[in-house]
Amino acid sequence: MISKPDRLFGRDAEWEELSEFVTSPVAGATLGLVYGRRRQGKTLMLELLARETGGFLFAATQQSERQNLADLGAAYAAFRGLGTPVVFGTWRDALDELLRLGEERAVPVIIDEFPYLTAATPALPSYLQAALSPLGHAKERTRTRMILCGSALTTMAQLLGGGAPLRGRASLELVVRPFRFRDAAAFWNAGRDPELAFRLNALVGGTPAYLEMCGGSGPADLAKFDRWVERRLLNPASAMFREGALLLREEPSVADPTSYAATLSALSVGNHRRSEIASALGRPSSALAHLLSGLQDIGLIEQVDDALREKRALFRVAEPVVRFHQLLIQRHEPELVIRRAAQVWAANADTVSGKIYGPHFEDLSREWCLEHAAAETLGGVAAAVRPTQIPCREHRQGHELDIVVTETAPFAADRIIAIGEAKGTTTPVPLAELQRLEHLRGLLPSAKVAALPKLLLFSRSGFTADLVHTAARRSDVELVDLERLYGGS
């Protein structure tokens, strides 16, 4: 494996995949795809890979085919140490020469922002298909490791889909996503203060470039947090001010950004079911399919299936910056433009708590169960963690349940091993919440429960003394505060 440079934070799994692809002993040229939303650090990672391996990297730009071929010829000549630029007459000629770079050794040949090239030359994937034909020179005589990279998610994914020319040609498809919440805390140097790390993650998520766009640092401590938000997120002069809107508009597959933005707005204020979103938009539910699937394709929303009932999915905003923009910046832009950030931030404290911190804490609690919780904590190994709503005859209503942990067993139906509630409020969770959770456990369908599921209570602000005392005497109860969420299992 190629040693990962210190300059690259995290991305251990991604670097391992790239290293394995580049150093593979397989004979013949191979193809890989790397893609993800902008500002995730793809280019940095690939530039470091090229530097560590002596590989070739060409970054395309939005220009004509002839201009791109001229730039490629200059980059190729510089890589080969030639005195004058190479003139490529066609992309077929260019691809043949690039693939020849691996004749003597395995070498990565990286083309960044590949969608810019296909926009000017739609037939380019077909040319590459021909260049990688099984009996062609590249497959027979080289060990070139070609990597195509791009930020236009739908364009990149379609390169390998359906009847696309490159279908079945790639041996690597690597999607680069934002940092998970623990990695994000370390990246922002907030790991020693879980409350600060949580607030930052709830507002800006895990996109690496946002650190630099926020001036290169987060708030030093909680006392400076509010002022930092006002200066870095709610300030019209900040690079982050319009980021939540640009994420949608920079995706070329979005032909009607107004309708997509309206859908994000409906989701941000708490309309999570298809019927609720349709009502907020004034459209029939049947007219939402392309909007919801489009937003999923570009990574701005996620579908969360119900743990107990099929075809009853929820939709959630997956990018915190988008949610923040919809709830605060878009609604209060006139006030923010005249520098009233402090007033807007203070006046919207309830919105931030209920619409941002609360849902985000639930998301992190489910993520913790799936990625960090020990088997002893959950009573098994989590295969899925989802919310649900349980009908209750006693109270004549449905009860929302934030967390249902299921385990998959060989040759048997999935079973529920734990249920839980996540409270992102600023007050300690009382004993009554444990009693409510016990009530909900009794309402679970017996066919889906193999044993007594464990009870998980997550709290952003700790637990009351009587709840702590009760939980300490019971093996079926787990209390998870921010300290444990960020550092324990």
Side-chain angles (χ1 to χ4, degrees):
M1 177 175 171
I2 304 164
S3 297
K4 191 185 77 170
D6 294 337
R7 176 72 175 79
L8 183 64
F9 177 88
R11 303 299 188 200
D12 293 340
E14 293 89 340
W15 186 263
E16 182 177 355
E17 294 289 350
L18 288 170
S19 296
E20 183 177 313
F21 174 76
V22 169
T23 61
S24 170
V26 173
T30 55
L31 177 67
L33 267 63
V34 176
Y35 59 96
R37 287 210 325 265
R38 294 191 187 282
R39 294 175 277 286
Q40 303 306 322
K42 303 183 299 297
T43 297
L44 171 63
M45 183 165 59
L46 293 175
E47 285 180 348
L48 291 172
L49 180 70
R51 189 178 71 181
E52 294 295 313
T53 59
F56 171 78
L57 185 145
F58 171 67
T61 56
Q62 289 180 301
Q63 56 185 0
S64 70
E65 176 180 296
R66 177 170 293 185
Q67 290 170 316
N68 273 317
L69 282 171
D71 287 350
L72 177 62
Y76 176 81
F79 178 77
R80 295 291 303 269
L82 305 177
T84 57
V86 173
V87 178
F88 293 127
T90 67
W91 269 109
R92 294 180 187 273
D93 296 336
L95 290 174
D96 286 343
E97 284 302 313
L98 291 178
L99 290 169
R100 288 180 182 276
L101 291 174
E103 288 180 333
E104 297 181 1
R105 64 181 179 90
V107 59
V109 173
I110 302 164
I111 301 179
D112 196 10
E113 294 299 353
F114 187 72
Y116 289 160
L117 301 182
T118 59
T121 311
L124 185 54
S126 295
Y127 299 157
L128 186 54
Q129 176 195 27
L132 292 173
S133 64
L135 297 180
H137 180 84
K139 280 291 188 180
E140 292 281 313
R141 303 291 181 87
T142 82
R143 291 177 59 202
T144 304
R145 307 305 183 220
M146 178 163 280
I147 299 174
L148 310 179
C149 179
S151 301
L153 300 186
T154 51
T155 302
M156 293 298 295
Q158 288 168 0
L159 289 174
L160 303 181
L166 295 178
R167 170 76 171 171
R169 299 286 184 177
S171 59
L172 173 72
E173 186 177 7
L174 179 63
V175 181
V176 181
R177 296 183 170 87
F179 290 138
R180 309 300 278 175
F181 74 93
R182 286 188 175 181
D183 287 339
F187 185 72
W188 283 82
N189 197 30
R192 292 186 295 274
D193 188 339
E195 173 65 21
L196 179 60
F198 167 74
R199 292 191 197 181
L200 279 170
N201 195 250
L203 299 188
V204 300
T207 294
Y210 290 166
L211 178 59
E212 183 176 350
M213 292 170 65
C214 285
S217 66
D221 51 45
L222 283 173
K224 296 181 175 63
F225 181 75
D226 291 344
R227 178 58 178 162
W228 182 87
V229 171
E230 295 160 13
R231 289 287 303 137
R232 297 303 181 187
L233 304 183
L234 296 176
N235 180 2
S238 168
M240 291 294 293
F241 188 72
R242 303 195 184 280
E243 177 66 9
L246 292 176
L247 284 177
L248 181 63
R249 295 181 181 276
E250 68 188 9
E251 173 57 46
S253 66
V254 175
D256 181 13
T258 301
S259 295
Y260 284 92
T263 305
L264 289 172
S265 179
L267 280 164
S268 296
V269 299
N271 299 296
H272 298 300
R273 300 192 186 281
R274 188 183 294 264
S275 59
E276 296 169 346
I277 300 167
S279 177
L281 296 181
R283 298 188 179 194
S285 295
S286 58
L288 294 183
H290 75 286
L291 293 173
L292 295 174
S293 62
L295 289 170
Q296 286 179 265
D297 289 343
I298 61 178
L300 296 187
I301 71 170
E302 289 180 351
Q303 178 175 316
V304 182
D305 294 328
D306 190 287
L308 299 179
R309 289 177 288 182
E310 296 182 0
K311 298 181 180 180
R312 192 174 170 80
L314 301 174
F315 295 90
R316 56 174 288 272
V317 177
E319 176 49 65
V321 166
V322 170
R323 180 173 54 197
F324 184 82
H325 180 88
Q326 293 289 337
L327 290 173
L328 272 80
I329 295 176
Q330 180 172 281
R331 294 169 184 268
H332 301 280
E333 185 169 352
E335 301 160 77
L336 295 171
V337 167
I338 59 174
R339 307 291 177 170
R340 290 183 178 172
Q343 294 94 319
V344 169
W345 181 242
N348 285 274
D350 290 343
T351 296
V352 173
S353 177
K355 302 296 185 184
I356 296 180
Y357 290 157
H360 195 71
F361 188 71
E362 293 175 15
D363 292 337
L364 295 196
S365 298
R366 286 189 284 266
E367 185 177 326
W368 183 86
C369 289
L370 189 62
E371 299 183 12
H372 302 292
E376 294 78 9
T377 298
L378 302 179
V381 178
V385 185
R386 296 163 293 185
T388 193
Q389 185 180 76
I390 301 179
C392 176
R393 292 183 178 178
E394 179 182 342
H395 297 106
R396 297 181 180 178
Q397 66 177 19
H399 294 291
E400 298 288 342
L401 186 57
D402 299 330
I403 296 163
V404 178
V405 184
T406 54
E407 182 179 55
T408 300
F411 311 108
D414 293 354
R415 65 189 187 106
I416 297 172
I417 57 175
I419 61 173
E421 283 289 291
K423 299 297 180 182
T425 59
T426 56
T427 56
V429 172
L431 181 61
E433 288 298 332
L434 176 58
Q435 295 166 345
R436 175 180 180 273
L437 207 52
E438 288 182 293
H439 173 66
L440 297 185
R441 181 167 63 181
L443 300 177
L444 294 172
S446 57
K448 293 182 177 291
V449 179
L452 193 66
K454 297 197 72 171
L455 304 177
L456 314 173
L457 281 168
F458 294 80
S459 174
R460 176 184 162 203
S461 305
F463 309 91
T464 58
D466 55 348
L467 175 54
V468 172
H469 179 71
T470 300
R473 294 183 287 111
R474 294 179 53 171
S475 61
D476 65 328
V477 177
E478 296 283 347
L479 304 183
V480 184
D481 57 12
L482 276 178
E483 292 282 350
R484 188 174 180 186
L485 193 75
Y486 272 89
S489 62

